[in-house]
Amino acid sequence: MKHSVNRPPTPDAAEDQGKEPTLQEIINIKLIESGEKERLMELLRERLIDCGWKDEMKALCRAHVKKKGRNNVTVDDLVHLITPKGRAYFGHSKVVGNQ
Amino acid sequence: MSGPNEDNNTQLSSHIFGDLLDSIIVDVASECHRIAKLGLDRNLEEEEEEMRLSAQARARVADPSNSSETNTKYVVDIFGQTHPSVATEIFECMNCGRSIAAGRFAPHLEKCMGKGRKARLKVTRSSTAAQNRYLRGSPVSTYSPYSNSTSTNRLSNGTPSVAGEEYSNGTYEEPWNKT
């Protein structure tokens, strides 16, 4: 018999929790549902390329890879490398986030 | 809009922006990681390779044992190709219509158009006095570059004989040129 037969029943998350989704979450969901989030992403991507942000980030990555050696670099490394610099690019007053 | 709502909106937008930015950051990092791992970024290795090669080249140049005596015929260029020391492609001389090897073309033209005795006579007969004066006035200068070129031309018998005058028939034959 397959393992999946014995798996625990799917919890009814929404009903059992007393928590209301936060405004933040509602907005996020609405954005995704309406497709607006995707549009915003594309717009932002384009703008970031135009203003040279992407090139700067790529240069940072390349320098890091050169230093560490191509085979010792993980995606995680690069993400942690770029995140503070990527956000700082805009002046930290604008971007509030999980820094 | 009241104050707190505005702040709230700003904060919310910032949060959303941060969210989008995070996703894009992950994309960029992932792309760079891919490029690094697949070795698609030629610059990384190219630079090391070039530095190694330039150091090698420098060593070879500085090396005194590697002078021009060795391999005069089979010099290898940076692509590893060897060329015969006299270029062998054949062209037609536009002046006399003969087939000339590319490597012998310049000296041939000199003979054919100005330096060879018979050729010069032909020229003086049929052209202006100004050209005469030019040719007669500088016999030394037309000869000496030629003798320089034969002595640096690394042919097998390399005798820098300024043979132009001997071959008085104007058609400059070079029986010793075996290539």
Side-chain angles (χ1 to χ4, degrees):
Chain A
M1 290 254 263
K2 291 199 168 174
H3 259 283
S4 52
V5 173
N6 295 328
R7 70 183 173 99
T10 312
D12 297 329
E15 295 184 39
D16 289 356
Q17 284 177 21
K19 247 169 77 172
E20 297 266 328
T22 65
L23 182 57
Q24 190 72 59
E25 287 167 3
I26 295 177
I27 292 181
N28 205 21
I29 292 172
K30 288 289 180 202
L31 277 179
I32 296 176
E33 283 178 352
S34 63
E36 198 58 28
K37 186 163 193 198
E38 198 58 41
R39 277 194 284 270
L40 285 172
M41 272 269 272
E42 287 315 305
L43 180 64
L44 184 57
R45 248 192 263 266
E46 207 181 293
R47 290 298 175 81
L48 289 176
I49 291 175
D50 285 345
C51 74
W53 177 92
K54 188 173 179 190
D55 293 330
E56 268 188 47
M57 298 299 119
K58 281 176 83 168
L60 286 173
C61 289
R62 253 185 277 138
H64 189 258
V65 168
K66 203 177 218 172
K67 204 169 43 153
K68 292 295 176 66
R70 346 197 310 243
N71 295 319
N72 303 335
V73 179
T74 64
V75 181
D76 221 32
D77 280 351
L78 296 179
V79 169
H80 284 117
L81 178 72
I82 290 189
T83 301
K85 309 219 171 137
R87 282 166 170 265
Y89 194 89
F90 301 99
H92 57 97
S93 57
K94 201 156 181 236
V95 180
V96 175
N98 25 343
Q99 301 192 15
Chain B
M1 286 256 192
S2 53
N5 267 358
E6 260 183 44
D7 287 341
N8 210 16
N9 284 347
T10 313
Q11 206 185 44
L12 286 173
S13 339
S14 293
H15 191 103
I16 292 173
F17 178 73
D19 206 17
L20 294 176
L21 196 59
D22 280 341
S23 302
I24 294 183
I25 284 177
V26 171
D27 282 349
V28 171
S30 155
E31 192 183 320
C32 288
H33 177 264
R34 175 181 174 267
I35 289 177
K37 290 290 180 169
L38 294 183
L40 296 179
D41 183 10
R42 296 278 303 148
N43 290 343
L44 277 182
E45 295 159 7
E46 248 178 22
E47 281 175 29
E48 298 166 16
E49 191 63 23
E50 274 189 42
M51 291 190 54
R52 211 171 43 83
L53 289 176
S54 68
Q56 242 180 44
R58 243 175 273 141
R60 223 177 273 155
V61 167
D63 191 357
S65 65
N66 205 9
S67 61
S68 57
E69 334 142 349
T70 61
N71 296 344
T72 51
K73 272 222 156 178
Y74 300 106
V75 181
V76 178
D77 71 14
I78 57 173
F79 298 113
Q81 300 171 336
T82 54
H83 303 279
S85 44
V86 174
T88 50
E89 266 198 62
I90 305 224
F91 300 95
E92 191 188 299
C93 171
M94 65 284 288
N95 204 34
C96 64
R98 296 173 65 217
S99 302
I100 310 287
R104 304 301 313 165
F105 197 50
H108 163 78
L109 271 189
E110 280 185 2
K111 266 12 110 299
C112 176
M113 299 187 107
K115 207 201 87 180
R117 216 193 288 165
K118 259 290 167 83
R120 223 204 301 159
L121 288 177
K122 265 192 268 174
V123 165
T124 55
R125 249 182 285 148
S126 60
S127 63
T128 63
Q131 204 168 355
N132 280 357
R133 249 179 278 127
Y134 169 74
L135 289 171
R136 294 245 184 85
S138 54
V140 181
S141 57
T142 50
Y143 287 148
S144 45
Y146 177 67
S147 62
N148 279 349
S149 66
T150 47
S151 59
T152 56
N153 195 4
R154 297 192 235 94
L155 293 173
S156 45
N157 67 359
T159 47
S161 54
V162 184
E165 314 171 65
E166 328 269 20
Y167 297 86
S168 56
N169 58 4
T171 55
Y172 182 66
E173 302 287 0
E174 294 179 29
W176 44 272
N177 180 12
K178 293 285 195 303
T179 57

